[in-house]
Amino acid sequence: MLIDSKKNQFEDLLKKLSTNLSITRSQHEAAVQSYKAVGKYLSSESSPLSEYEPYIKPQGSFIIGTTIQSIEEDGDIDLDVVCEFKRKKITWTQYHLKNAVGDHLKAHGTYERLLDEEGRRCWTLSYREEGVTNQRYHMDILPAIVANGYSLLLESSFKNLMDEDYEKLQLSITDKEKSNYYMSTFPEEWLQSNPYGYAKWFMKRAFLVGNQFNNLYSLNESVKPTPDYQEERLPLQRVVQLLKRHRDVYFSKEQNDEIRKQKPISCIITTLAARAYRGESNLIDAMWGVINRMRDEIEFRYIPEYGMEIEWISNPVNVLENFADRWNDQNSYRRDNFYRWLDQLSIDLNDAENKTGLQNISESLSASFGRKPVQAAFGQIADHMRDLTNSGNNNIDRNNGLVGLATAGLTSINPIKKHDFYGTNEEE
């Protein structure tokens, strides 16, 4: 159990760590500029797609504020977007719509060069070789059919997060593994996806923290044509970022390629964390609450196909979809990977909390979350402490080895002498 002074300082440290895991303003602006350029190209008057009014809109972690940096110095940031069409040719199937997007991307010299192999549902543009270090990303473009007036419907829905009107935000998407991929011309028969309903559900959970945080993050802002960079995060958003980062670092150390590839997927981590969250405003309390309750949010359902009960992590906006469906694949490591990662997360966070001395805490957190963002967080704390020292307000807790403002009633806290940073001290 952390005493209040150390808990407050550890809280500040975790907040700074999550901030350093977030994408930067320049990364955000580069991503927005890129997907707007793709949208402009697909919808231009000279485009064969223009009559169907394609429109590019971000989705996934980018709009719910949980995107994190890659653990690799030159790694990619994930950017998921939807290419919405208001209409299509009456004879078009999923195959035709998906390839209409792909063919037009291939007709553009730059996009043809950036285009990866066709994915199951998306086309992917890799900006990795084009970007400078830490501004490299890949854009997954998901073709979809939406109802008329969808953008206005979305804006109205996002204004009231309490309304559970998720169904009306559904999209009809392309999926080349579906049996009707080449046959059905009716979008209502295609695979239904609801990324914006999910985003609304997640933010509703995030705002359990209370009205005092209402101005920290706007879901409506995140899907505007040119969204502003939102630097602040709600506690649940930070928890998800920290969990995803720990997962990435933990499995990067795995020697077995197959085990490493089957690390817990982000939608499972995000969904279970949101369900386990109870509105804690303190980040440490939120972290421990989520970690301790995540297992309880996994259902067990009897599935005749397997002849037994299996773990079921339902999509909150489509209860028939099981995010953990591949846990039951033959020779799958996914189930075991999830539980052993969650166990290790608890061990690692507890270890960091129980360390004394900034160096020991830094080493513990670096092993769990990566050295670079942890060092950046400690550097920001050091800068803050330097400012406090110059003003005479800095104090040190000798028992805990953490530096911070004096706390009334703690006799172990002594003022730090003012330092001129040239090797001499003077009494304040």
Short mmCIF file of all heavy atoms in Angstrom, two decimals, residues 21 23 27 67-79 125-139 245 248 263 372:
data_model
loop_
_atom_site.label_atom_id
_atom_site.label_comp_id
_atom_site.label_asym_id
_atom_site.label_seq_id
_atom_site.Cartn_x
_atom_site.Cartn_y
_atom_site.Cartn_z
N LEU A 21 3.76 8.01 -24.06
CA LEU A 21 3.36 6.90 -24.93
C LEU A 21 2.41 7.37 -26.03
O LEU A 21 2.26 6.70 -27.05
CB LEU A 21 2.68 5.80 -24.12
CG LEU A 21 3.53 5.07 -23.09
CD1 LEU A 21 2.68 4.06 -22.32
CD2 LEU A 21 4.72 4.38 -23.74
N ILE A 23 0.74 9.59 -29.13
CA ILE A 23 1.31 10.18 -30.33
C ILE A 23 1.48 11.68 -30.11
O ILE A 23 0.73 12.30 -29.36
CB ILE A 23 0.45 9.91 -31.58
CG1 ILE A 23 -0.95 10.50 -31.45
CG2 ILE A 23 0.39 8.43 -31.88
CD1 ILE A 23 -1.78 10.41 -32.73
N GLN A 27 2.91 14.00 -35.07
CA GLN A 27 2.44 12.72 -35.59
C GLN A 27 0.95 12.78 -35.90
O GLN A 27 0.49 12.26 -36.93
CB GLN A 27 2.73 11.60 -34.58
CG GLN A 27 4.19 11.25 -34.46
CD GLN A 27 4.45 10.28 -33.32
OE1 GLN A 27 3.82 10.36 -32.26
NE2 GLN A 27 5.38 9.37 -33.51
N THR A 67 -4.17 5.47 -28.82
CA THR A 67 -3.04 5.12 -29.68
C THR A 67 -1.74 5.28 -28.91
O THR A 67 -1.59 6.20 -28.11
CB THR A 67 -3.01 6.04 -30.92
OG1 THR A 67 -4.24 5.91 -31.63
CG2 THR A 67 -1.87 5.67 -31.85
N ILE A 68 -0.80 4.37 -29.14
CA ILE A 68 0.50 4.46 -28.46
C ILE A 68 1.62 4.37 -29.48
O ILE A 68 1.44 3.92 -30.61
CB ILE A 68 0.68 3.34 -27.41
CG1 ILE A 68 0.56 1.95 -28.05
CG2 ILE A 68 -0.31 3.51 -26.26
CD1 ILE A 68 0.91 0.80 -27.11
N GLN A 69 2.80 4.78 -29.04
CA GLN A 69 3.99 4.70 -29.87
C GLN A 69 4.42 3.24 -30.02
O GLN A 69 4.15 2.39 -29.18
CB GLN A 69 5.14 5.48 -29.21
CG GLN A 69 4.86 6.93 -28.93
CD GLN A 69 4.97 7.80 -30.18
OE1 GLN A 69 5.38 7.34 -31.24
NE2 GLN A 69 4.61 9.06 -30.05
N SER A 70 5.11 2.97 -31.12
CA SER A 70 5.70 1.65 -31.31
C SER A 70 6.87 1.47 -30.34
O SER A 70 7.54 2.43 -29.96
CB SER A 70 6.20 1.51 -32.75
OG SER A 70 6.99 0.34 -32.89
N ILE A 71 7.12 0.22 -29.93
CA ILE A 71 8.27 -0.03 -29.06
C ILE A 71 9.56 -0.01 -29.86
O ILE A 71 10.64 0.08 -29.28
CB ILE A 71 8.14 -1.38 -28.31
CG1 ILE A 71 8.07 -2.55 -29.29
CG2 ILE A 71 6.94 -1.36 -27.38
CD1 ILE A 71 8.14 -3.90 -28.60
N GLU A 72 9.46 -0.10 -31.19
CA GLU A 72 10.64 -0.02 -32.04
C GLU A 72 10.93 1.44 -32.38
O GLU A 72 10.02 2.22 -32.63
CB GLU A 72 10.42 -0.82 -33.33
CG GLU A 72 10.06 -2.28 -33.12
CD GLU A 72 11.20 -3.07 -32.51
OE1 GLU A 72 12.36 -2.62 -32.63
OE2 GLU A 72 10.93 -4.13 -31.91
N GLU A 73 12.20 1.79 -32.42
CA GLU A 73 12.59 3.16 -32.70
C GLU A 73 12.06 3.63 -34.05
O GLU A 73 11.65 4.77 -34.22
CB GLU A 73 14.12 3.29 -32.68
CG GLU A 73 14.63 4.71 -32.85
CD GLU A 73 14.28 5.62 -31.68
OE1 GLU A 73 14.08 5.09 -30.57
OE2 GLU A 73 14.19 6.85 -31.89
N ASP A 74 12.05 2.71 -35.03
CA ASP A 74 11.56 3.06 -36.37
C ASP A 74 10.27 2.32 -36.69
O ASP A 74 9.96 2.06 -37.85
CB ASP A 74 12.62 2.77 -37.43
CG ASP A 74 12.99 1.29 -37.49
OD1 ASP A 74 12.62 0.55 -36.54
OD2 ASP A 74 13.63 0.87 -38.47
N GLY A 75 9.52 1.96 -35.65
CA GLY A 75 8.29 1.19 -35.85
C GLY A 75 7.13 2.06 -36.33
O GLY A 75 7.19 3.29 -36.32
N ASP A 76 6.07 1.38 -36.74
CA ASP A 76 4.89 2.06 -37.27
C ASP A 76 3.87 2.37 -36.19
O ASP A 76 3.71 1.62 -35.22
CB ASP A 76 4.19 1.18 -38.31
CG ASP A 76 4.99 1.03 -39.59
OD1 ASP A 76 6.11 1.56 -39.64
OD2 ASP A 76 4.50 0.39 -40.52
N ILE A 77 3.15 3.47 -36.38
CA ILE A 77 1.95 3.76 -35.62
C ILE A 77 0.76 3.28 -36.43
O ILE A 77 0.73 3.43 -37.65
CB ILE A 77 1.84 5.28 -35.35
CG1 ILE A 77 2.98 5.74 -34.43
CG2 ILE A 77 0.49 5.63 -34.71
CD1 ILE A 77 3.09 7.23 -34.31
N ASP A 78 -0.22 2.67 -35.76
CA ASP A 78 -1.41 2.17 -36.45
C ASP A 78 -2.42 3.30 -36.62
O ASP A 78 -2.76 3.99 -35.67
CB ASP A 78 -2.07 1.04 -35.65
CG ASP A 78 -1.17 -0.18 -35.54
OD1 ASP A 78 -0.37 -0.39 -36.46
OD2 ASP A 78 -1.26 -0.90 -34.53
N LEU A 79 -2.91 3.46 -37.85
CA LEU A 79 -3.96 4.44 -38.13
C LEU A 79 -5.06 3.74 -38.92
O LEU A 79 -4.85 3.33 -40.07
CB LEU A 79 -3.39 5.61 -38.95
CG LEU A 79 -4.40 6.63 -39.47
CD1 LEU A 79 -5.17 7.27 -38.31
CD2 LEU A 79 -3.72 7.70 -40.31
N LEU A 125 -1.88 1.44 -46.64
CA LEU A 125 -0.83 2.32 -47.15
C LEU A 125 0.24 2.44 -46.08
O LEU A 125 -0.05 2.84 -44.95
CB LEU A 125 -1.39 3.70 -47.49
CG LEU A 125 -2.40 3.78 -48.64
CD1 LEU A 125 -2.95 5.19 -48.77
CD2 LEU A 125 -1.75 3.35 -49.96
N SER A 126 1.47 2.10 -46.43
CA SER A 126 2.56 2.17 -45.47
C SER A 126 3.38 3.42 -45.70
O SER A 126 4.05 3.56 -46.73
CB SER A 126 3.45 0.92 -45.59
OG SER A 126 4.56 1.02 -44.73
N TYR A 127 3.32 4.33 -44.74
CA TYR A 127 4.07 5.58 -44.82
C TYR A 127 5.40 5.46 -44.10
O TYR A 127 6.08 6.44 -43.87
CB TYR A 127 3.27 6.73 -44.21
CG TYR A 127 2.06 7.12 -45.03
CD1 TYR A 127 0.88 6.38 -44.96
CD2 TYR A 127 2.10 8.22 -45.87
CE1 TYR A 127 -0.22 6.73 -45.71
CE2 TYR A 127 1.00 8.58 -46.62
CZ TYR A 127 -0.16 7.83 -46.54
OH TYR A 127 -1.26 8.19 -47.29
N ARG A 128 5.78 4.26 -43.77
CA ARG A 128 6.97 4.04 -42.96
C ARG A 128 8.23 4.55 -43.63
O ARG A 128 9.08 5.18 -43.01
CB ARG A 128 7.11 2.54 -42.67
CG ARG A 128 8.21 2.21 -41.69
CD ARG A 128 8.18 0.72 -41.35
NE ARG A 128 9.15 0.41 -40.34
CZ ARG A 128 10.44 0.20 -40.59
NH1 ARG A 128 10.88 0.30 -41.82
NH2 ARG A 128 11.27 -0.09 -39.61
N GLU A 129 8.40 4.28 -44.91
CA GLU A 129 9.61 4.69 -45.60
C GLU A 129 9.59 6.17 -45.95
O GLU A 129 10.62 6.76 -46.22
CB GLU A 129 9.81 3.85 -46.86
CG GLU A 129 10.04 2.37 -46.57
CD GLU A 129 10.24 1.56 -47.82
OE1 GLU A 129 10.16 2.15 -48.91
OE2 GLU A 129 10.46 0.35 -47.71
N GLU A 130 8.40 6.75 -45.96
CA GLU A 130 8.28 8.15 -46.32
C GLU A 130 8.54 9.07 -45.14
O GLU A 130 9.02 10.18 -45.29
CB GLU A 130 6.87 8.43 -46.87
CG GLU A 130 6.59 7.74 -48.19
CD GLU A 130 7.43 8.30 -49.31
OE1 GLU A 130 7.35 9.51 -49.56
OE2 GLU A 130 8.19 7.53 -49.91
N GLY A 131 8.19 8.61 -43.94
CA GLY A 131 8.23 9.48 -42.78
C GLY A 131 9.60 9.56 -42.14
O GLY A 131 10.46 8.72 -42.34
N VAL A 132 9.78 10.59 -41.34
CA VAL A 132 10.99 10.68 -40.53
C VAL A 132 10.81 9.77 -39.33
O VAL A 132 9.73 9.25 -39.07
CB VAL A 132 11.23 12.14 -40.07
CG1 VAL A 132 11.46 13.04 -41.26
CG2 VAL A 132 10.08 12.65 -39.23
N THR A 133 11.89 9.55 -38.58
CA THR A 133 11.82 8.68 -37.42
C THR A 133 10.72 9.13 -36.47
O THR A 133 10.57 10.31 -36.19
CB THR A 133 13.18 8.68 -36.68
OG1 THR A 133 14.18 8.24 -37.59
CG2 THR A 133 13.14 7.75 -35.48
N ASN A 134 9.94 8.16 -35.98
CA ASN A 134 8.83 8.39 -35.06
C ASN A 134 7.64 9.09 -35.71
O ASN A 134 6.74 9.53 -35.02
CB ASN A 134 9.28 9.17 -33.82
CG ASN A 134 10.20 8.35 -32.94
OD1 ASN A 134 10.07 7.13 -32.89
ND2 ASN A 134 11.13 9.00 -32.27
N GLN A 135 7.65 9.24 -37.04
CA GLN A 135 6.46 9.73 -37.73
C GLN A 135 6.09 8.75 -38.83
O GLN A 135 5.64 9.13 -39.90
CB GLN A 135 6.68 11.13 -38.27
CG GLN A 135 6.71 12.19 -37.20
CD GLN A 135 6.57 13.59 -37.76
OE1 GLN A 135 6.12 13.79 -38.87
NE2 GLN A 135 6.96 14.57 -36.97
N ARG A 136 6.32 7.49 -38.59
CA ARG A 136 6.03 6.45 -39.56
C ARG A 136 4.78 5.71 -39.11
O ARG A 136 4.62 5.38 -37.94
CB ARG A 136 7.22 5.50 -39.67
CG ARG A 136 8.46 6.21 -40.19
CD ARG A 136 9.69 5.34 -40.10
NE ARG A 136 10.85 6.05 -40.65
CZ ARG A 136 12.09 5.60 -40.59
NH1 ARG A 136 12.34 4.44 -40.01
NH2 ARG A 136 13.07 6.29 -41.11
N TYR A 137 3.91 5.42 -40.05
CA TYR A 137 2.65 4.78 -39.70
C TYR A 137 2.11 4.06 -40.92
O TYR A 137 2.54 4.27 -42.05
CB TYR A 137 1.63 5.82 -39.21
CG TYR A 137 1.47 7.02 -40.12
CD1 TYR A 137 0.49 7.05 -41.10
CD2 TYR A 137 2.30 8.12 -40.00
CE1 TYR A 137 0.35 8.13 -41.94
CE2 TYR A 137 2.18 9.22 -40.83
CZ TYR A 137 1.20 9.22 -41.79
OH TYR A 137 1.07 10.30 -42.63
N HIS A 138 1.19 3.15 -40.66
CA HIS A 138 0.48 2.53 -41.77
C HIS A 138 -1.01 2.79 -41.60
O HIS A 138 -1.55 2.76 -40.49
CB HIS A 138 0.78 1.03 -41.88
CG HIS A 138 0.42 0.22 -40.69
ND1 HIS A 138 1.33 -0.14 -39.72
CD2 HIS A 138 -0.76 -0.33 -40.30
CE1 HIS A 138 0.74 -0.87 -38.80
NE2 HIS A 138 -0.53 -1.00 -39.13
N MET A 139 -1.65 3.09 -42.71
CA MET A 139 -3.06 3.47 -42.72
C MET A 139 -3.88 2.32 -43.30
O MET A 139 -3.73 1.96 -44.46
CB MET A 139 -3.25 4.73 -43.58
CG MET A 139 -4.68 5.25 -43.61
SD MET A 139 -4.90 6.54 -44.90
CE MET A 139 -3.64 7.71 -44.44
N ARG A 245 1.01 -0.89 -23.79
CA ARG A 245 2.47 -0.75 -23.83
C ARG A 245 3.14 -1.90 -23.08
O ARG A 245 4.13 -2.47 -23.55
CB ARG A 245 2.87 0.59 -23.22
CG ARG A 245 4.38 0.79 -23.16
CD ARG A 245 4.99 0.90 -24.55
NE ARG A 245 6.41 1.22 -24.49
CZ ARG A 245 7.10 1.77 -25.47
NH1 ARG A 245 6.49 2.08 -26.60
NH2 ARG A 245 8.38 2.03 -25.35
N ASP A 248 3.14 -4.95 -25.20
CA ASP A 248 4.12 -4.90 -26.29
C ASP A 248 5.53 -5.19 -25.79
O ASP A 248 6.29 -5.94 -26.42
CB ASP A 248 4.08 -3.53 -26.97
CG ASP A 248 2.81 -3.31 -27.77
OD1 ASP A 248 2.08 -4.29 -28.02
OD2 ASP A 248 2.54 -2.15 -28.15
N LYS A 263 0.09 -12.43 -29.12
CA LYS A 263 -0.10 -11.61 -27.92
C LYS A 263 -1.55 -11.13 -27.87
O LYS A 263 -2.25 -11.09 -28.89
CB LYS A 263 0.86 -10.43 -27.94
CG LYS A 263 0.62 -9.44 -29.06
CD LYS A 263 1.69 -8.34 -29.06
CE LYS A 263 1.43 -7.33 -30.18
NZ LYS A 263 2.48 -6.28 -30.23
N LYS A 372 12.90 4.34 -22.99
CA LYS A 372 12.79 5.69 -23.54
C LYS A 372 11.64 6.50 -22.94
O LYS A 372 11.85 7.62 -22.47
CB LYS A 372 12.66 5.63 -25.07
CG LYS A 372 12.66 6.99 -25.73
CD LYS A 372 12.65 6.87 -27.24
CE LYS A 372 12.63 8.25 -27.89
NZ LYS A 372 12.65 8.16 -29.37
#
